[in-house]
Every structure is written in structure tokens, then in C-alpha cells.
Amino acid sequence: MTNSNTITSDRADSKPSQDAINVGISACLTGNEVRYNGGHTQSRLCLDLLSQCFTFTSFCPEVAAGFSIPRPTMRLTGDPDSPKLVFSNDDANDLTDQLVKGFEKELPKMGHLDGYILMKNSPSCGLDKIKVYQGNGHPHQTRATGVFAKALKKQYPFMPIEEEGRLHDSKLFDNFLLRVYAYNNFRKDVIEQPSLHHLMVFHSSYKYLLMAHNQDKCRALGRLLGSHKKGSLEALINCYFSGFIDALSKPASRKNHTNALFHILGYLKDKLSPIATQHIISVIHNYNKGLTPLTTPLTLLKHQLMQHGCDYIKDQRYLEPYPEIISPMVDTFK
């Protein structure tokens, strides 16, 4: 049983690496027996699959706050905009301050993280749709965010954060993964070596991934960079990062993916035979109709680009937004 009030790494007891993809995770999801009943909710998705590319850092805010294991269940009560945490069997004592004091010193230590996976339905860690109870014992129609999750989002507004349960949806899983890697790449390529040139190179490499997610926001980010004169570089980077994360916040649509695929095919139009071109066009149309997965046209395009593509299109993150090592095993967990 883990009763530590500090952040602990659960992958081979490794320390956070500057080159690793470091992701925070609710301790109960790693198998630590920290839940109210002394149990855990171990996630095979996280431990068997995502651990191949993430170094996990686990944390339980309730344990950090000194609550016992086991302990009575907790819930949120009062105003949904500013709920208080209480024991379910005794709402006389407000436990919110105790919980906050348990994690507020740990939050600044999480700046090295590239993402966070939270336990759903938890009054402390739940990302959304957490019930807030009224004095009559019935929940409000308006739901809330868990106390720790809310503070985490406030401290790191651009960090990709998701609930483990939602990651069993293939589109949300893919979107979270690409956002984590995009967040890591931005930190390494731009924030750690800030310059307009590095920001422009970063944007160029993500052009088609942005296009697949939100064409309007992709164009807006391009205009933002194009209109920059000699203003504050820091302000530009922050403004770009905010827009960039917002553009990737939702999974890309099939229609937008199809548009991006055809744009990429355009770089091969003078290099392929009419038969080869028509075959790829047919495969893209089949994807657009839902008859084949995205990996099929992507694989075809990547094969041709390896032989005939220019450096610009080969460097597009859209072609491989995260390591291929994780792709073959994804369906096992869906």
C-alpha cells in the first residue's frame, strides 16, 4: 500500500528524464491501493500499453492530504461553481482546505509533465461531470470538476489532461496521445530554445495536423506568425501555444482528414503513375466513406513519400504524430 504524500514514479522507479514523455497519473490507476476502500483501479491500458512510451508519475491528492486508507467516501456539495468536499456520511465538516493543502505544494513540481491521466468520477480527480449534492441529498443538474483536477487545469492550462475511462474511445485515445507528443515537442523545440525561427519551423511541421483538426484555426495561427513584427517574442509564443492547443483539443473529423490526405497527395502528383495516383485516390475516398481506417491511406502515402517526397512533406508530424510502436496494440484495449 502506498501512503506517500509525495509524487512517485511507477515505471522502474525511474526519475523524470528530460528526454522522456513524462505523464502524471492518478495513483489508483497504477495499482496503488489508495482508494477509499483500500483498493485500486489498475488500468491495463496505462500500464500495459501507454507505459511503452510514457514514464508515469503517480499521485493521490487524498493521500497527500493525510486522509486515511481506508476512509469514508467523499462527495462535493453546495454551489457547483465552488463546491466543498465533505465525507458522504458527514457533511458538517468542510474538507476542501485539507485536500488543497495536501496538493498545493506538489503542483509546482509537475511542470515537467507532458500530460495527465485522471481517475473518473472522483470528487478530487474527476475531470468533469462530477455530481455536486444539494442540501436535500439530490445532485444539482450542473456538474463540476474535481478539486485537484480543477487546480491542475488552472496551474497548467495548456497541458493535455484526460480521464482514463475516456481513453478507451479510440478517437479520444488518439487525440490525447498526439496532444501529449505535441505538447512535449513544443516545450523542447520552442519554449526551451525560444526564437521566431524555431516557432516557424514548429508550425510548418504541424501544418497538416492542424489542418486535419481545424482549418480555420490553422489559418489563424499562420496569420499570427505572418503578422508578427518586432513585438514581444514571449507574448507571441504564449499566444501561439494557446491557439495551437485549442486547435488540437478535439479529435479531427473524417472530412478534415480527407482534405489533409489529398493535400499531401498533391506533393506526389508529378512523381507517380496515373494508376498509382488513382489507387491512392480510391483508398482516400474509401476512408472518407468509413470503409477503411485512416492508417490505410496514411501507410500508402508514407510509402510513396519515402521515395518521392520532399523534405518539407516528409517532416510533417501528421504522418506520424506519435511513435508507431503503440499503434499495433491499440485495438487490444478498445
Side-chain angles (χ1 to χ4, degrees):
M1 181 181 296
T2 299
N3 286 298
S4 171
N5 63 355
T6 60
I7 305 173
T8 59
S9 175
D10 284 279
R11 191 180 177 195
D13 295 324
S14 59
K15 293 183 179 180
S17 167
Q18 201 170 25
D19 297 325
I21 302 294
N22 297 297
V23 173
I25 188 171
S26 293
C28 57
L29 294 172
T30 67
N32 286 326
E33 297 174 337
V34 294
R35 281 178 61 77
Y36 71 94
N37 59 1
H40 61 77
T41 50
Q42 188 179 83
S43 168
R44 286 188 56 244
L45 177 68
C46 294
L47 298 186
D48 295 351
L49 178 59
L50 290 177
S51 64
Q52 294 186 46
C53 52
F54 293 166
T55 295
F56 282 121
T57 298
S58 74
F59 180 65
C60 176
E62 294 175 17
V63 172
F67 294 112
S68 63
I69 305 172
R71 56 186 174 274
T73 59
M74 298 177 181
R75 65 181 185 180
L76 299 180
T77 64
D79 182 358
D81 292 330
S82 182
K84 65 179 183 179
L85 181 73
V86 299
F87 285 126
S88 299
N89 62 358
D90 178 15
D91 61 3
N93 295 317
D94 188 345
L95 307 172
T96 312
D97 285 346
Q98 181 178 345
L99 181 69
V100 170
K101 289 178 181 178
F103 65 67
E104 62 183 358
K105 292 182 180 179
E106 302 299 336
L107 277 176
K109 301 177 185 178
M110 299 179 184
H112 68 285
L113 299 178
D114 298 308
Y116 215 105
I117 301 174
L118 295 165
M119 179 62 197
K120 67 176 182 178
N121 298 330
S122 166
S124 57
C125 291
L127 190 55
D128 60 11
K129 299 181 181 179
I130 306 303
K131 293 180 179 179
V132 180
Y133 289 86
Q134 305 175 67
N136 60 12
H138 296 291
H140 289 277
Q141 287 188 340
T142 303
R143 301 300 171 91
T145 299
V147 179
F148 169 69
K150 184 176 181 179
L152 179 66
K153 289 172 65 178
K154 182 177 180 180
Q155 181 88 11
Y156 304 103
F158 302 149
M159 181 186 290
I161 303 174
E162 190 54 274
E163 289 183 342
E164 191 272 348
R166 285 167 47 89
L167 293 178
H168 291 265
D169 178 294
S170 59
K171 289 184 178 181
L172 296 178
F173 177 91
D174 174 78
N175 184 251
F176 177 71
L177 215 58
L178 73 84
R179 284 188 293 129
V180 168
Y181 275 89
Y183 187 87
N184 176 267
N185 289 332
F186 193 86
R187 290 203 302 124
K188 291 190 301 183
D189 298 346
V190 180
I191 294 178
E192 293 178 8
Q193 43 183 347
S195 74
L196 181 58
H197 172 71
H198 288 151
L199 183 57
M200 297 285 283
V201 170
F202 178 89
H203 177 72
S204 177
S205 70
Y206 270 96
K207 178 179 177 180
Y208 287 100
L209 193 62
L210 286 166
M211 180 186 292
H213 280 76
N214 193 306
Q215 295 180 48
D216 290 340
K217 291 179 180 178
C218 178
R219 286 190 287 267
L221 288 171
R223 289 194 298 270
L224 174 68
L225 296 180
S227 63
H228 179 71
K229 303 299 181 181
K230 292 185 178 181
S232 166
L233 177 63
E234 182 181 1
L236 175 66
I237 289 174
N238 288 336
C239 186
Y240 179 91
F241 198 18
S242 175
F244 176 77
I245 292 298
D246 183 52
L248 298 184
S249 62
K250 295 181 181 179
S253 69
R254 190 177 297 274
K255 178 181 177 181
N256 282 352
H257 269 307
T258 300
N259 181 59
L261 292 168
F262 275 122
H263 271 81
I264 292 173
L265 178 59
Y267 284 86
L268 296 168
K269 63 181 180 180
D270 298 328
K271 307 291 179 61
L272 304 181
S273 69
I275 293 177
T277 300
Q278 190 56 48
H279 175 59
I280 296 177
I281 290 174
S282 176
V283 171
I284 294 175
H285 280 308
N286 283 339
Y287 161 72
N288 191 40
K289 296 174 184 176
L291 302 177
T292 188
L294 179 61
T295 52
T296 304
L298 268 179
T299 300
L300 280 173
L301 285 171
K302 285 196 287 185
H303 175 72
Q304 296 294 348
L305 289 169
M306 286 293 292
Q307 302 177 63
H308 308 296
C310 62
D311 289 341
Y312 168 74
I313 201 66
K314 287 180 181 179
D315 289 340
Q316 286 299 311
R317 302 278 190 178
Y318 179 80
L319 299 171
E320 191 175 322
Y322 50 81
E324 288 187 346
I325 183 176
I326 205 165
S327 300
M329 293 185 64
V330 170
D331 289 341
T332 306
F333 295 86
K334 301 297 176 251

